[in-house]
Amino acid sequence: MLEFALFLVVTILLGWPLGRYLAAVMQGKPMRSDFVFGWLEKPLYRLLGTQPEKGMSWKGYAGAFLLSNLLLAAAVWGIFMTQAWLPLNPDNVPNMSWDLALHTMVSFLTNTNQQHYSGQAQLSYLSQMTGIVGLQIITPVMGLAVATATLRGLFGGRKASNETAAHAESGETDVGNYWADVIRATLRCVLPLSLVLSALLTWQGVPATLEAGPVASPVNATAEFDKQKIPLGPVAPMVAIKQLGSNGGGWYGPNSTVALENPTPLSNFLEVVSIALLPVAIAFMIGPFTGRRKFGMMVLGTMLTMSLISTGIALWSEGHSATSADIALMEGKEVRLGADASALWAAATTQVNNGSVNMMLDSAAPLTGMVAMSNMLINSIWGGVGCGLQQFIVYLLLSVFIAGLMTGRTPELFGRKIEGPQVRLLAFLILLQPLVILGFTAFTLAVPGLAANSNPGFHGISQVFYEYTSAFANNGSGFEGLGDASVWWNASCSIVLAAGRYPSLLVPLALAAMLARKRQAPEGSGSLQIESPTFALTLIGIVIILTLLQFMPVLVLGPVADHLSLASGAGTLKDLLQ
């Protein structure tokens, strides 16, 4: 509990000034640091053929976002399938198969970092440094850029908040310049933070080298092998950006459970704070960025309330529930960290679209696993960098619509009416999640041999459901115990990864632009007050109803039944019912 309290205090104290700084960066205001970053940004603008002051419509913004993703996809997929013939491969790692390369590329392109490979054994240094770390730097910034463009749209466009901004093309709402947003956030925020954290982790003992790993002799002379190769590499920079960028994944297959990737209690604390830092900062950014500080505090308060509830349940489940004393649950946990630190990380990594782990989630208490699933299904407790805010805006619009109907008022947000076309798009996003996740889960469990899961009982249902939930939520963590290096898992998860990323980013952007084109009515005493604790509680209730209740059957068949059977010692549903 002490570590949780310290984590919360440090994250908020760091997130508040960082959020104000992010607001200034994304607004493009003159800054004292312009003389440092200006000479880096201007050549990039010339190379891209763009003018940062020239705005875009939402369609132009979305087109630039999709184009950048397409170009990166082709380059990274090619690197993974040809890495054996490329430089920086001292361990002679072979090429990836097409399906594994496809899944890995889509996973990191969508800021998910779901891994069906072991990084230390199946990726060269070049693949790690360019295809992996490169995407880990740029993809979270892409999400942040789209989220800030959505905020501009909700408040009438950039011209409404900045009279010097140019008109967007075609006379439509100016939501900003995509290339300028990405470049400024990358150079002025993400890269400096990553450099600082990388240096701190290197100081704590995380490797940062381009040399091949050493070869050691086993201590036990009766071992079945004479030598063991210890994989090293530029681990610290990758770990820094994987945590800060809501990326997850890991240099090593077991992730931050490995002592080389997470060697000390201080490194563990630095990494878990880094997981939540940027998403919390984005919540603090909303007020100064939009000029609606009460609105920003409502968003922050709502996210913080859900975070406290989620983390509290995880800490209780892992350390104080009926199953917490079961010795079987210690398999896959780091005894040097303990149950509380493991539960805190599990809660933080799924409240944020991070997905890194400092224990194997397959070994967590069943209810801790349910908390992790619930966090990903909600996907906006803090959410990923930018993505969490986009999902929160979806829930916000739905809550305004439902609250308006309940109180007999025309639903409107900031004086702009929410009507049929907007509600249909919102319904599409809400229905997309269960259709994709439950559809793929049911098919995989129904066809013998597809799942290749290690637990055919209640936990086996959780393993498959968790994998697809993690992919759709762009989280990347997994229960493991799956034969997920197959063509089926690679292809199906690639589809789910894309379905969970692109509609959830672009549909809210389109909705914001649609609202911006509507005539704004003055807010009065009859307007719905969304900047209030009452509305925040209403929003939390709607989030629970829309996300958790529709998945209740699979949660009962999976982690709830798993918990009851473990607590009672029963092994089957028949035993449990008796």
Side-chain angles (χ1 to χ4, degrees):
M1 276 297 183
L2 179 62
E3 185 173 0
F4 173 47
L6 185 61
F7 158 78
L8 197 63
V9 170
V10 171
T11 304
I12 290 176
L13 288 178
L14 293 176
W16 177 67
L18 182 58
R20 295 178 62 85
Y21 173 74
L22 265 178
V25 169
M26 302 312 291
Q27 285 174 323
K29 290 182 175 180
M31 306 175 71
R32 293 179 180 178
S33 58
D34 286 345
F35 75 97
V36 176
F37 295 107
W39 67 274
L40 289 173
E41 294 172 353
K42 289 176 183 177
L44 292 175
Y45 294 143
R46 286 197 296 268
L47 180 64
L48 293 169
T50 187
Q51 299 175 7
E53 68 278 1
K54 184 178 180 182
M56 296 179 175
S57 68
W58 82 265
K59 292 179 182 178
Y61 204 98
F65 167 73
L66 293 174
L67 175 63
S68 62
N69 277 251
L70 182 62
L71 295 176
L72 287 170
V76 172
W77 195 10
I79 289 173
F80 290 157
M81 290 198 295
T82 61
Q83 63 181 358
W85 311 322
L86 298 175
L88 292 177
N89 188 14
D91 295 324
N92 298 313
V93 176
N95 295 329
M96 275 188 168
S97 63
W98 72 267
D99 58 298
L100 183 57
L102 174 67
H103 175 267
T104 306
M105 177 273 292
V106 175
S107 179
F108 282 82
L109 185 68
T110 56
N111 193 212
T112 308
N113 298 196
Q114 187 180 58
Q115 293 174 296
H116 289 174
Y117 67 92
S118 290
Q120 76 274 19
Q122 292 177 273
L123 285 177
S124 68
Y125 289 179
L126 181 68
S127 293
Q128 292 270 27
M129 294 166 63
T130 58
I132 301 300
V133 177
L135 289 181
Q136 286 181 323
I137 292 171
I138 196 67
T139 56
V141 178
M142 290 174 172
L144 173 60
V146 176
T148 54
T150 303
L151 285 177
R152 293 184 188 115
L154 285 178
F155 290 90
R158 189 166 60 161
K159 190 182 179 185
S161 59
N162 183 359
E163 293 299 331
T164 64
H167 288 284
E169 61 267 23
S170 305
E172 295 191 23
T173 303
D174 178 359
V175 297
N177 185 293
Y178 171 76
W179 306 109
D181 287 342
V182 169
I183 289 172
R184 287 178 64 86
T186 302
L187 295 180
R188 295 172 184 254
C189 182
V190 173
L191 283 179
L193 285 175
S194 299
L195 288 172
V196 171
L197 181 58
S198 178
L200 291 173
L201 293 176
T202 304
W203 166 54
Q204 286 298 295
V206 180
T209 178
L210 293 178
E211 298 291 332
V215 177
S217 298
V219 175
N220 187 352
T222 63
E224 297 180 357
F225 52 91
D226 297 328
K227 296 180 179 180
Q228 180 182 9
K229 189 173 183 62
I230 308 298
L232 297 180
V235 182
M238 192 269 200
V239 174
I241 187 58
K242 86 166 186 177
Q243 306 297 31
L244 285 167
S246 302
N247 290 295
W251 186 280
Y252 299 99
N255 215 275
S256 290
T257 62
V258 179
L260 286 171
E261 194 168 305
N262 185 15
T264 68
L266 180 56
S267 73
N268 186 78
F269 186 74
L270 288 172
E271 289 184 35
V272 75
V273 167
S274 301
I275 288 173
L277 180 59
L278 273 175
V280 171
I282 290 170
F284 276 108
M285 178 196 79
I286 295 171
F289 183 82
T290 62
R292 304 274 303 228
R293 298 187 181 277
K294 288 186 178 179
F295 174 64
M297 292 307 297
M298 186 277 293
V299 175
L300 176 66
T302 303
M303 290 180 171
L304 181 59
T305 300
M306 292 190 289
S307 175
L308 291 172
I309 294 171
S310 165
T311 307
I313 295 174
L315 288 169
W316 166 82
S317 172
E318 207 60 37
H320 308 284
S321 68
T323 62
S324 60
D326 196 310
I327 191 63
L329 295 180
M330 282 307 297
E331 180 269 334
K333 286 197 181 109
E334 274 293 308
V335 294
R336 62 194 173 94
L337 299 176
D340 284 352
S342 299
L344 174 59
W345 191 302
T349 198
T350 49
Q351 290 171 13
V352 177
N353 296 354
N354 182 272
S356 67
V357 294
N358 69 350
M359 70 166 174
M360 292 296 99
L361 290 175
D362 193 49
S363 303
L367 295 185
T368 307
M370 187 175 73
V371 169
M373 294 179 197
S374 302
N375 291 342
M376 292 187 295
L377 292 172
I378 293 172
N379 206 19
S380 63
I381 293 180
W382 295 113
V385 177
C387 303
L389 179 57
Q390 292 294 84
Q391 186 65 37
F392 187 91
I393 288 172
V394 171
Y395 293 134
L396 173 69
L397 293 171
L398 277 170
S399 299
V400 169
F401 177 73
I402 293 172
L405 295 180
M406 292 172 62
T407 57
R409 294 188 176 97
T410 301
E412 60 181 40
L413 179 67
F414 305 128
R416 294 181 171 88
K417 292 182 180 179
I418 300 173
E419 298 175 304
Q422 292 81 49
V423 175
R424 283 192 287 271
L425 285 176
L426 292 171
F428 162 74
L429 283 181
I430 293 298
L431 292 174
L432 182 65
Q433 184 190 40
L435 288 174
V436 171
I437 295 176
L438 295 179
F440 276 101
T441 299
F443 185 83
T444 303
L445 289 170
V447 178
L450 276 187
N453 52 334
S454 59
N455 296 84
F458 305 128
H459 197 71
I461 296 174
S462 297
Q463 286 176 319
V464 175
F465 178 69
Y466 194 104
E467 188 76 2
Y468 285 122
T469 300
S470 175
F472 191 88
N474 295 151
N475 183 271
S477 60
F479 263 13
E480 304 310 327
L482 296 172
D484 55 17
S486 66
V487 174
W488 167 253
W489 275 114
N490 288 330
S492 63
C493 282
S494 296
I495 296 171
V496 177
L497 287 162
R501 169 77 168 179
Y502 296 104
S504 65
L505 280 178
L506 297 181
V507 171
L509 176 61
L511 285 168
M514 292 168 68
L515 291 174
R517 289 196 295 267
K518 295 188 176 186
R519 180 177 296 177
Q520 184 176 16
E523 296 182 58
S525 58
S527 301
L528 180 65
Q529 300 300 312
I530 69 167
E531 298 163 337
S532 66
T534 302
F535 180 80
L537 291 174
T538 303
L539 193 154
I540 292 173
I542 290 172
V543 167
I544 293 172
I545 292 170
L546 289 177
T547 57
L548 299 187
L549 291 185
Q550 63 185 344
F551 290 100
M552 187 58 69
V554 72
L555 293 176
V556 170
L557 288 173
V560 172
D562 197 13
H563 169 80
L564 294 175
S565 63
L566 189 62
S568 65
T572 65
L573 183 59
K574 181 179 178 181
D575 295 332
L576 183 60
L577 293 175
Q578 291 176 345

